[in-house]
Amino acid sequence: MTVFRMVMLILAVLQMAFAALTAFVGSFADGGSLGERMVLVLVHPLAAIGLLVLVTQPQLSLRGTRVVTALLVVNVAADVVIALLIAGGTVKGDWELPLMFAAIPALGIVYGARRMASRPQSSGG
């Protein structure tokens, strides 16, 4: 197991715990739009599960790696949009928090891209 993969495994487990906790809390918290809640209770947990699969399954197909990486991109993009909305005053909150949610998935995108780049080009899925 490479050092990068080992670090990603630890980060994936941490992200999974963080996403589960915030999904639970986000389900009961007051305030926030439907879109913000969907990011907390749907996008973050799905991306965290995907990252865990990506890191723990070395034989994951190219298609599976692409799907998980795309899900991580959606996670990061949603968090950046929320951070920008908060920074612009459209949404209440601390703009730094969504960026903290995006940190581990952003590393997951790098991990997924490295996995895809290291695969033979003839691999179809």
Side-chain angles (χ1 to χ4, degrees):
M1 178 179 283
T2 67
V3 173
F4 187 39
R5 182 170 172 222
M6 193 178 317
V7 168
M8 286 308 302
L9 178 59
I10 293 166
L11 291 175
V13 170
L14 289 173
Q15 184 72 5
M16 188 68 208
F18 192 49
L21 177 66
T22 56
F24 179 73
V25 171
S27 297
F28 297 103
D30 291 334
S33 68
L34 178 62
E36 292 169 279
R37 286 181 188 263
M38 294 311 293
V39 170
L40 282 177
V41 300
L42 187 64
V43 174
H44 286 166
L46 287 175
I49 291 167
L51 181 58
L52 200 55
V53 168
L54 182 66
V55 175
T56 60
Q57 301 299 314
Q59 299 304 319
L60 186 65
S61 69
L62 180 59
R63 181 175 292 135
T65 302
R66 286 178 178 160
V67 167
V68 171
T69 303
L71 186 55
L72 294 168
V73 168
V74 168
N75 185 142
V76 171
D79 287 330
V80 168
V81 167
I82 291 172
L84 290 172
L85 290 172
I86 293 170
T90 305
V91 175
K92 288 184 177 184
D94 298 316
W95 64 268
E96 302 92 348
L97 289 176
L99 297 181
M100 289 180 2
F101 277 108
I104 294 173
L107 289 172
I109 293 168
V110 173
Y111 182 78
R114 283 185 61 177
R115 279 195 52 175
M116 286 185 281
S118 68
R119 292 183 88 89
Q121 293 300 326
S122 63
S123 178

